């Protein structure tokens, strides 16, 4: 196995360091890709897994001004190694978050809701009444897209893979605020016309699958619309008919939260305003954590196995 639970000495607290007791950390697909070596970031080994989570500040170095004991923090970037009970990190690797939001919400805040928020705001100027189409709508990002779009007054058309418990999944996504939930097969059916009787054709498509499902989704995009790819779960390329480019001038873009954070490292304003907006939605009960299963750290093997199962609809969160 690639994993071991180890006891390590906690590093000495430097002047600009923060000693953090981790509270909870989820297992995301990207964490697993990083371990398999199929992700754009490779950590020098041995490494601690986990890119996301929330911790409580225990102690700060004498040059640390923005954080104090008792504050809650999440990773500012990727590769922090959150699957640990405690750690000492440089101050600039941490972001303060309010401690009046639920632990699972804070633990899952830095990747998926931020990705959903940026994709909904950075590519097309959407106004209330507009629509968005997305595949893998039951993923962590997908669930956040549904809820944030709902708060913005934007309609969502949500594509999921057919599965044994489909009605249950549809019900769950509708409860989050989805306007339509359809299977990949339905994308090809004439019944799609019925959806567009009461919802405008989308100007924005969000893709984290690839392959056939993506090509089918693209068909329903408005002329000059944008498809943003942020994942490739089918491990197949994105196929685009030439006609979509020539006659409908669709735009194909990509998004990676890690890159956005690098690009905006000097622009604390845009990061802070996004975090404020998301925390406000959480407080108002309009953005919930994804459906999750909380697992004590010592049961990490079972949690990793569950996280890799197909059709998984619950995020594994390690309690630290």
């Amino acid at each position: 196995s690639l994993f071991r639970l180890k006891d390590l000495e906690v590093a000495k607290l430097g002047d600009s360091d923060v000693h953090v007791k981790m509270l909870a950390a989820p297992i995301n697909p990207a964490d697993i890709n990083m371990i398999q070596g199929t992700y754009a970031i490779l950590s020098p080994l041995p490494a601690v897994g986990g890119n996301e989570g929330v911790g409580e500040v225990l102690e700060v170095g004498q040059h640390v001004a923005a954080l104090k004991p008792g504050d809650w923090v999440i990773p500012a970037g990727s590769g922090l190694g959150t699957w640990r009970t405690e750690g000492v990190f440089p101050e600039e690797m941490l972001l303060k978050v309010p401690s009046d939001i639920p632990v699972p919400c804070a633990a899952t805040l830095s990747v998926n809701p931020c990705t959903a928020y940026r994709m909904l705001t950075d590519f097309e100027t959407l106004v209330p009444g507009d629509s968005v189409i997305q595949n893998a709508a039951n993923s962590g990002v997908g669930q956040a897209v549904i809820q944030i779009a709902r708060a913005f007054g934007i309609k969502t058309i949500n594509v999921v893979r057919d599965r044994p418990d489909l009605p249950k999944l549809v019900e769950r996504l509708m409860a989050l605020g989805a306007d339509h939930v359809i299977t990949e097969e339905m994308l090809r059916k004439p019944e799609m016309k019925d959806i567009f009787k009461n919802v405008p054709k989308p100007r924005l498509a969000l893709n984290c699958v690839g392959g056939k499902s993506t090509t089918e989704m693209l068909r329903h995009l408005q002329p000059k619309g944008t498809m943003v790819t942020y994942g490739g779960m089918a491990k197949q390329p994105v196929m685009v008919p030439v006609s979509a480019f020539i006659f409908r001038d669709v735009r194909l873009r990509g998004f990676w939260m890690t890159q956005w954070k690098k690009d905006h490292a000097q622009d604390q304003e845009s990061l802070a305003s996004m975090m404020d907006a998301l925390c406000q939605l959480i407080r108002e009960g309009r953005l919930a954590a994804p459906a999750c299963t909380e697992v004590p750290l010592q049961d990490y093997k079972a949690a990793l196995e569950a996280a890799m199962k197909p059709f998984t609809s619950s995020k594994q969160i390690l309690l630290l």
Side-chain angles (χ1 to χ4, degrees), residues 189-205:
K189 301 246 166 84
E191 288 89 305
M192 283 299 290
K193 288 198 185 67
D194 297 340
I195 288 181
F196 297 122
K197 280 177 187 153
N198 57 12
V199 172
K201 284 213 156 187
R203 292 226 309 275
L204 181 66

Side-chain angles (χ1 to χ4, degrees), residues 217-294:
M217 192 167 70
L218 200 61
R219 283 182 192 194
H220 301 295
L221 206 55
Q222 275 192 36
K224 292 196 178 349
T226 304
M227 181 170 79
V228 182
T229 292
Y230 67 98
M233 285 159 56
K235 298 192 165 53
Q236 290 165 349
V238 170
M239 309 282 274
V240 183
V242 169
S243 60
F245 276 130
I246 300 174
F247 303 122
R248 293 196 294 120
D249 188 18
V250 297
R251 283 140 225 265
L252 266 62
R253 301 284 308 272
F255 183 77
W256 188 30
M257 195 63 220
T258 302
Q259 189 62 45
W260 186 92
K261 283 182 175 160
K262 277 193 191 128
D263 293 346
H264 293 78
Q266 301 314 311
D267 172 15
Q268 286 310 300
E269 191 45 49
S270 57
L271 185 63
S273 70
M274 166 169 70
M275 287 303 181
D276 289 348
L278 292 170
C279 289
Q280 198 44 42
L281 289 176
I282 291 168
R283 279 191 206 98
E284 292 166 4
R286 298 204 285 176
L287 178 60
C292 51
T293 306
E294 301 189 339

